[in-house]
Amino acid sequence: MQKIVICLLLFVLVSCGAGKTEAEKRESIKEKYASEIKTEDLKEHLYLLSSDILEGRKTGEKRQKMAVNYLTAFYDHNGLLAPNSYPEYTQEIEKDFFDGKSEGPSSNVLAYIEGSEFPNEVIVITAHYDHLGMRNDEVYNGADDNASGTSAVMELAQSFQLAKKQGKGPRRSILFLHLTGEEIGLFGSQYYIENPVFSLDSTVVNLNIDMIGRVDDKHINQREYIYLIGSDRLSKDLHKLAQDTNKKYTKLKLDYTYNEFDDPNNYYERSDHFNFAQMNIPVIFFFNGSHSDYHRITDTADKIDFELLALRTKYIFYTAWEIANRDKRIEADKK
């Protein structure tokens, strides 16, 4: 009798699975890997990266290089590829490149998943990982700026890599790029643009993540939001995809205040996506807005909203998944 019951249950399960349409199966796969973005993992990464031990991760200094070691060990452990020319996951940048603003050389960190169908079309997901260091023996931890974005990129990479291992990897390639020297002049992204690992012609889009762990004063009563900057500047297609993806999956309030051409903050030119945009590569800058702890010693991990950080990271995951797996490449249709 017990065997009969088990057989009937298996029959029902198989029958239900067989009844799914191809579209439903694709949705189920996508949602499965989005769910691998875990609040507790984001918290673990962010607390370590913004800890006093790393002394604010100042560009070119010893404790910043400890952050590099943490990132490279993470990618090696998860089995992501290092691009061929950079077997240690690092793109080394000499001190002179930083125009006197760094005490020593530094490096970008790169990890890579090759696309199954369009390997020569590359999505670049970026976040700067270093910060302001120490001043007067006080640590500028940079939890939101930008341990939040760094942690998000790590979780995105882990989810896409799991999909790859299970035969559901992206059709296009994805480069996970942690950039140095953003705070002192967007130097890491400038260096990458001048020395691209994959040709700029093959670079489909740049998704840049810089500060996504907090809530600004404007949204105290509507916490589930995110600022999008640059999404419509070069590609109507990318802008629509970002809107449709949010509407379908995460339902955040998309705020375009800082995307206005006359915005006095000019955030469009103040983070690493701008160097990609200048090469006519479509970009989106994901941002939570400024707050009273911006560039202060009070930007600490205990103030991060980790549930919101996870939701925003899932939005970026869905956006990247759509770009990576659609039939037609995103193209710049504006100048």
Side-chain angles (χ1 to χ4, degrees):
M1 182 65 180
Q2 188 179 16
K3 288 183 178 179
I4 294 172
V5 172
I6 292 171
C7 288
L8 284 171
L9 285 172
L10 287 172
F11 175 77
V12 170
L13 289 170
V14 171
S15 298
C16 290
K20 285 186 176 181
T21 66
E22 285 303 312
E24 288 172 333
K25 289 177 184 177
R26 288 195 296 269
E27 289 302 309
S28 178
I29 290 167
K30 192 185 309 179
E31 290 167 4
K32 171 186 175 180
Y33 296 112
S35 71
E36 292 297 323
I37 294 168
K38 308 289 189 184
T39 302
E40 55 269 28
D41 290 344
L42 288 163
K43 192 170 189 177
E44 180 181 346
H45 296 317
L46 193 145
Y47 263 88
L48 189 146
L49 288 164
S50 62
S51 67
D52 286 352
I53 294 170
L54 296 190
E55 296 181 351
R57 315 181 304 280
K58 188 172 183 180
T59 306
E61 296 193 355
K62 181 179 179 181
R63 297 304 173 96
Q64 179 245 4
K65 298 182 192 311
M66 290 174 65
V68 171
N69 292 339
Y70 180 65
L71 292 169
T72 57
F74 172 82
Y75 288 118
D76 183 55
H77 175 74
N78 281 279
L80 275 84
L81 298 173
N84 289 337
S85 303
Y86 304 92
E88 304 299 321
Y89 297 98
T90 56
Q91 183 181 46
E92 302 298 332
I93 306 174
E94 294 299 322
K95 176 183 174 180
D96 291 347
F97 187 82
F98 295 97
D99 197 25
K101 295 179 181 179
S102 175
E103 294 299 317
S106 188
S107 55
N108 293 327
V109 178
L110 322 94
Y112 172 62
I113 295 175
E114 185 172 71
S116 58
E117 293 183 43
F118 310 108
N120 296 323
E121 297 181 14
V122 184
I123 299 155
V124 182
I125 302 178
T126 55
H128 75 88
Y129 68 91
D130 43 12
H131 191 54
L132 302 177
M134 295 183 65
R135 298 175 183 173
N136 300 320
D137 295 325
E138 293 183 307
V139 179
Y140 286 72
N141 302 91
D144 193 27
D145 186 13
N146 187 32
S148 65
T150 304
S151 302
V153 172
M154 295 169 76
E155 280 296 284
L156 292 167
Q158 185 170 264
S159 293
F160 274 106
Q161 177 66 356
L162 180 61
K164 177 79 171 180
K165 286 179 178 178
Q166 296 180 351
K168 307 297 183 183
R171 298 170 73 189
R172 290 178 177 80
S173 299
I174 305 178
L175 177 66
F176 302 94
L177 177 58
H178 297 271
L179 293 161
T180 187
E182 190 268 357
E183 302 284 14
I184 54 176
L186 313 186
F187 284 102
S189 52
Q190 180 187 340
Y191 188 86
Y192 180 85
I193 289 298
E194 293 179 11
N195 303 273
V197 175
F198 302 100
S199 75
L200 299 182
D201 288 341
S202 70
T203 302
V204 175
V205 68
N206 170 228
L207 304 179
N208 183 43
I209 312 169
D210 192 352
M211 297 174 59
I212 62 164
R214 293 280 297 270
V215 174
D216 66 4
D217 291 341
K218 178 181 176 182
H219 296 92
I220 290 296
N221 297 318
Q222 189 177 15
R223 301 176 70 83
E224 294 188 351
Y225 77 96
I226 194 165
Y227 290 101
L228 293 195
I229 302 173
S231 60
D232 64 345
R233 296 285 184 106
L234 296 171
S235 175
K236 292 180 289 187
D237 195 16
L238 177 61
H239 184 63
K240 185 177 186 303
L241 182 147
Q243 290 182 320
D244 292 346
T245 299
N246 177 64
K247 184 177 180 180
K248 186 172 184 179
Y249 297 107
T250 43
K251 298 177 173 57
L252 292 161
K253 172 181 168 53
L254 303 183
D255 194 322
Y256 296 98
T257 300
Y258 296 131
N259 189 52
E260 298 296 330
F261 282 93
D262 59 354
D263 174 54
N265 298 284
N266 196 25
Y267 287 124
Y268 181 64
E269 297 184 14
R270 288 174 55 185
S271 192
D272 288 305
H273 60 278
F274 186 60
N275 281 322
F276 288 86
Q278 290 191 104
M279 305 308 295
N280 215 45
I281 296 168
V283 303
I284 304 178
F285 173 23
F286 299 91
F287 181 50
N288 58 212
S290 190
H291 46 74
S292 60
D293 298 314
Y294 173 69
H295 281 195
R296 296 178 183 271
I297 60 171
T298 49
D299 181 11
T300 50
D302 58 296
K303 296 179 180 177
I304 297 295
D305 184 332
F306 285 98
E307 293 294 334
L308 184 55
L309 174 57
L311 179 61
R312 288 166 171 166
T313 305
K314 287 177 182 178
Y315 172 43
I316 299 165
F317 171 85
Y318 282 122
T319 303
W321 184 284
E322 293 294 329
I323 297 167
N325 290 297
R326 73 201 309 250
D327 292 331
K328 185 180 178 183
R329 167 182 172 156
I330 290 284
E331 293 184 0
D333 51 25
K334 298 182 178 181
K335 293 291 183 182

